[in-house]
Amino acid sequence: MATDTLRKRNSQTSSVPDSSPAFGDGGTSQSDHPAGEIKYGAWSQVFRALLLLTWFDCGAVCINVTQFLGAPLYWWDKNYYYAYMALTKQSFAILGIAATRWFASTKVRVSWDSELRGQFHKTSAGRLETTFPERLVYVANHQVYTEWLYLWWIAYTSRMHGHIFIILKESLKYVPVLGPGMMFYGFIFMARKWASDKPRLQHRLEKLKTHHSGPMSGSAGLDPMWLLIFPEGTNLSANTKKNSMKWAEKQDMTHLRHLLLPRSTGLFFCLQQLQGTVDWVYDCTIAYDGTPKGGFAPDYFTIRSTYLQGRPPKCVNMHWRRFAVSSIPLSDAKEFEKWLLDRWREKDDLLERWYETGYFPGDAEAADSSRGISKGGYIETEMTLNNWMEIGQIFMVLAATALVINVILKFFGIFLSLK
């Protein structure tokens, strides 16, 4: 496939709406839902929605105000500014992880290729810890709306949740509170028009090749950075799959069974620009227990069913691989398209195996009960915080600011009373 035709496909598929609304129930009945019957009735769902919105909105507003309070640091000392914003990014990860743990608790099964042996283990408390590099690009297939939360949590398990950067569609920039917050985070917004996206993307990638000497600046060399990209561009649904299959037939290609055809232009440009500053591309293949073969996860695991009805996936399955950037063909766009499509075909085979057996291949030789690795070569855990006291980080700056203002007002009141 030529790059220009791939760009044309991008514009076609990006205009197709998803098959089911994020807040819908997917049209499934209680009996045929993979997570079983609805656990909470209508009024309980309303109550849970109010609790979830209160927690998430209050936390997001606190983080956003914290960001605006720290914005002047940019003109005073950029080292402290970027460290400060990294802390607010950590706070948002904590906010999302806590919300998922409370409202949509689910098991997570993590497996990996043998090349990643030693980078995963389970603590004595049952939590996942990973030792991924400080700088990497990571890609994943895209199935449900909340995928980014699980992938941000993986960054949390490597204590890199303050250094994640996500490529998003431009419309999210205008969401109240969240949009400005994501701009402070340095997230990259794309309009899906390459002529306007390319210079913007290049500008942001240049910033990701910098070094700051202040706090949160990493162990050595360039600043820590995890750049998350979904090459499929949108989540897997009936409509997007139909378009992807049509495109495959038009290009005389064999279509993928469980994935959309990946878009190569953005990822190719990112890796070209970051070449020499990033050693690895990490790849995650995600599957959700209960999704039937040939079915679509968004039809079952909507925000409503997952967070309000008490029907999250029984298990989120993640299989990790990595590829050396030096082994990826970055001098020729057509060769890179072929390389990426080959990797997606491998992911398709991984998913076929998962649909047939319920498991991704594990690294059985790494089995080690002392590290929490099962005989099958995988780790089962839950998405949760290491320490619930971390929640205080979300409100720490505002609480300190309120305390300082209170002290100033009291001193001012005493001063006036003495006059």
Side-chain angles (χ1 to χ4, degrees), residues 356-386:
E356 293 295 330
T357 67
Y359 291 86
F360 286 123
D363 183 13
E365 294 182 14
D368 184 349
S369 59
S370 67
R371 296 173 64 86
I373 303 174
S374 71
K375 291 181 180 180
Y378 55 82
I379 289 174
E380 289 188 350
T381 184
E382 286 187 318
M383 179 178 169
T384 188
L385 295 173
N386 293 331

Side-chain angles (χ1 to χ4, degrees), residues 116 119 132-133 136-139 280-283 320-322:
L116 276 74
Q119 296 190 23
F132 288 5
L136 57 85
V137 173
Y138 67 132
V139 298
W280 300 100
V281 172
Y282 277 63
D283 168 68
W320 288 88
R321 306 182 294 168
R322 72 174 183 179

Side-chain angles (χ1 to χ4, degrees), residues 177-241:
V177 180
L178 296 180
M182 290 186 288
M183 285 189 279
F184 275 121
Y185 292 153
F187 287 0
I188 303 170
F189 298 94
M190 305 285 279
R192 294 178 178 176
K193 297 177 181 177
W194 189 240
S196 58
D197 286 339
K198 182 178 179 180
R200 182 187 311 169
L201 182 58
Q202 186 167 14
H203 172 73
R204 296 304 312 170
L205 292 174
E206 284 298 321
K207 287 186 173 293
L208 297 183
K209 295 190 289 185
T210 56
H211 171 68
H212 296 90
S213 58
M216 307 282 290
S217 59
S219 58
L222 299 172
D223 287 348
M225 177 215 70
W226 282 29
L227 178 63
L228 172 59
I229 304 174
F230 293 105
E232 291 166 308
T234 187
N235 66 334
L236 179 67
S237 68
N239 282 348
T240 56
K241 181 65 179 295

Side-chain angles (χ1 to χ4, degrees), residues 277-309:
T277 69
V278 172
D279 293 328
W280 300 100
V281 172
Y282 277 63
D283 168 68
C284 182
T285 304
I286 304 178
Y288 298 88
D289 267 20
T291 306
K293 191 173 182 179
F296 305 100
D299 292 343
Y300 300 92
F301 305 116
T302 63
I303 291 177
R304 180 184 175 188
S305 67
T306 299
Y307 286 87
L308 306 184
Q309 294 180 343

Side-chain angles (χ1 to χ4, degrees), residues 151-169:
L151 293 167
W152 205 332
W153 167 71
I154 288 292
Y156 172 84
T157 66
S158 274
R159 309 311 297 169
M160 292 295 295
H161 52 305
H163 302 287
I164 189 172
F165 297 85
I166 307 176
I167 295 181
L168 306 163
K169 58 183 180 180

Side-chain angles (χ1 to χ4, degrees), residues 242-259:
K242 183 179 179 181
N243 273 270
S244 185
M245 292 175 66
K246 284 182 177 178
W247 182 256
E249 291 170 4
K250 185 177 179 180
Q251 299 299 315
D252 195 25
M253 298 168 54
T254 303
H255 65 79
L256 302 175
R257 293 159 293 181
H258 312 297
L259 298 163

